[in-house]
Amino acid sequence: MNIKVKKIRRDALIPVRASDGAVGYDVYASRVLDKSTKEVIQELPVEISPGNSVLIGIGVQMAVPWPIQCEVRPRSGLASKYDIELSNSPGTIDPDFRGEAGVLLRNRGEKPFTIEKNMRIAQLVFSKVEIPILEETLDLPLTRRGSLGFGGTGLFGGGLGITDYEESIRQMDEYYMSVALMAAGRSRCVRGMKKINDQYPRDAKGKLIGQTRKFGSLIVKDDTIIAQGFNDYRPGSPRCEETGCLRDELNIPSGTRLEKCRAIHAEEWAVTNAARLGHATKGATLYNNAEPCELCATLITNAGIETIVIPLGVYPTNGTEILREAAINIRYVKL
């Protein structure tokens, strides 16, 4: 997103993020504005006495694109240290506004506070908004809360509907994890298996017996399965169940030199399947019957996966640390 910003005064400063991880753009005090006319009435510094307020101009105009809103929010440092707050918090800069944004600061403290020029006095947070159509109706859908308001859910306890919500999440996780486990059953990985009479043992249905590396992945979006995968040898490679495991042959310890393998991991298969079929994975939930390896965790972070659900304590890896660094939600289920 690009937002055009124009300085009203030559010495004005453009809003800036104070750190790499900040979502708010700090704005700088430029001049004192009249609360009614918004005209410049005084240069800085200006003193705000206890209980009074002053409108500070930030010295810039912005062309916020539709349908983005820009909220003017207080800075926590001013509020916690000096009791300086925004009187209209949060303020909103609409896309069609082309004037100079003003910050109405109020002194809630007991001592006078001085606003210096180029002091960072507030922050701007940008977000996309939905513009609904308001449809008049005679009846509204019923809810458990109904018309309870202004503390109607009480000061203590868990509130209304929390238990039902958590139970619905639990049931959903159990269902989709069961599907992921069924996908894992399609794996033909023979890592760690021993041949009998030069053949890997199979049951009456032709399934491999004694597999220890059976992994399945499921990508769910809007309560719909959009892709799935399981660990298996890549297309065009020799069949591991016939030639044997390359990693066993090379005596590669588990979890190391992951590139030396004929297999595609379950998570890789699911994400690439989604891409091949044209399904967006941004905001989706991934169900995995084990923790992802570091390579798959890296792939998941760049796929826009919002949540990953994995069994508790099954095949632990370092991949979850990569997911946490990317702020991906992790839910655990008990098998």
Side-chain angles (χ1 to χ4, degrees):
M1 182 197 312
N2 291 329
I3 295 181
K4 297 184 182 299
V5 181
K6 176 184 176 182
K7 290 184 179 181
I8 298 175
R9 307 173 191 94
R10 182 176 297 178
D11 59 352
L13 298 178
I14 301 296
V16 64
R17 290 190 301 139
S19 69
D20 291 340
V23 298
Y25 287 73
D26 288 348
V27 295
Y28 297 90
S30 179
R31 306 280 177 90
V32 181
L33 305 181
D34 183 88
K35 295 179 184 179
S36 300
T37 66
K38 308 301 186 293
E39 297 293 331
V40 177
I41 58 173
Q42 182 181 333
E43 298 292 334
L44 293 173
V46 64
E47 182 180 273
I48 311 177
S49 57
N52 290 336
S53 63
V54 174
L55 183 62
I56 305 294
I58 66 173
V60 297
Q61 298 169 311
M62 293 184 297
V64 180
W66 175 270
I68 303 299
Q69 70 156 342
C70 175
E71 288 189 353
V72 184
R73 300 183 183 180
R75 294 195 66 226
S76 57
L78 284 178
S80 63
K81 295 179 181 179
Y82 308 105
D83 283 328
I84 302 299
E85 303 175 353
L86 266 64
S87 290
N88 61 328
S89 178
T92 301
I93 301 177
D94 290 304
D96 57 353
F97 179 69
R98 290 296 181 271
E100 176 183 9
V103 179
L104 187 59
L105 295 177
R106 182 172 295 277
N107 187 349
R108 302 285 188 182
E110 299 177 352
K111 299 178 180 179
F113 184 81
T114 300
I115 302 295
E116 305 282 353
K117 188 168 184 177
N118 295 336
M119 177 183 288
R120 288 183 285 140
I121 57 173
Q123 58 180 325
L124 307 179
V125 176
F126 299 88
S127 60
K128 185 176 181 179
V129 298
E130 297 289 341
I131 309 299
I133 295 175
L134 302 182
E135 179 183 351
E136 185 178 0
T137 182
L138 296 177
D139 296 299
L140 295 175
L142 298 177
T143 67
R144 179 181 299 182
R145 180 174 181 176
S147 59
L148 294 177
F150 292 103
T153 59
L155 295 176
F156 300 95
L160 298 175
I162 301 300
T163 302
D164 289 349
Y165 173 75
E166 292 179 347
E167 176 61 17
S168 67
I169 295 295
R170 186 192 66 78
Q171 292 182 7
M172 181 175 64
D173 286 349
E174 286 188 355
Y175 168 74
Y176 286 121
M177 185 59 71
S178 69
V179 180
L181 288 169
M182 293 184 67
R186 299 182 60 188
S187 170
R188 291 176 288 185
C189 178
V190 296
R191 179 77 197 267
M193 293 183 62
K194 302 298 182 182
K195 289 185 176 181
I196 300 177
N197 297 326
D198 204 34
Q199 297 287 332
Y200 290 108
R202 297 176 181 271
D203 61 17
K205 295 183 178 181
K207 295 281 188 178
L208 293 168
I209 299 175
Q211 286 177 281
T212 60
R213 301 292 201 280
K214 297 169 64 175
F215 303 119
S217 287
L218 206 69
I219 300 179
V220 176
K221 191 171 183 180
D222 297 328
D223 206 9
T224 302
I225 299 172
I226 63 172
Q228 61 180 343
F230 52 92
N231 61 316
D232 203 6
Y233 44 80
R234 65 181 181 272
S237 73
R239 297 165 62 92
C240 301
E241 55 193 311
E242 295 177 356
T243 62
C245 176
L246 177 64
R247 292 174 63 79
D248 281 345
E249 180 183 331
L250 299 177
N251 294 316
I252 298 176
S254 179
T256 64
R257 299 176 62 191
L258 299 177
E259 75 284 354
K260 283 293 183 182
C261 184
R262 300 189 188 100
I264 298 178
H265 289 191
E267 303 93 321
E268 293 175 308
W269 203 293
V271 171
T272 53
N273 268 345
R276 181 169 54 86
L277 297 172
H279 297 309
T281 54
K282 184 176 181 180
T285 298
L286 186 143
Y287 289 85
N288 228 47
N289 70 322
E291 295 186 13
C293 70
E294 294 184 8
L295 292 180
C296 287
T298 301
L299 175 67
I300 291 169
T301 63
N302 204 42
I305 300 291
E306 185 175 274
T307 302
I308 181 170
V309 183
I310 50 181
L312 188 62
V314 176
Y315 204 77
T317 69
N318 293 327
T320 52
E321 293 304 317
I322 294 175
L323 300 177
R324 291 190 179 95
E325 290 173 356
I328 293 177
N329 302 318
I330 302 176
R331 286 204 306 266
Y332 292 93
V333 297
K334 290 184 179 180
L335 297 181

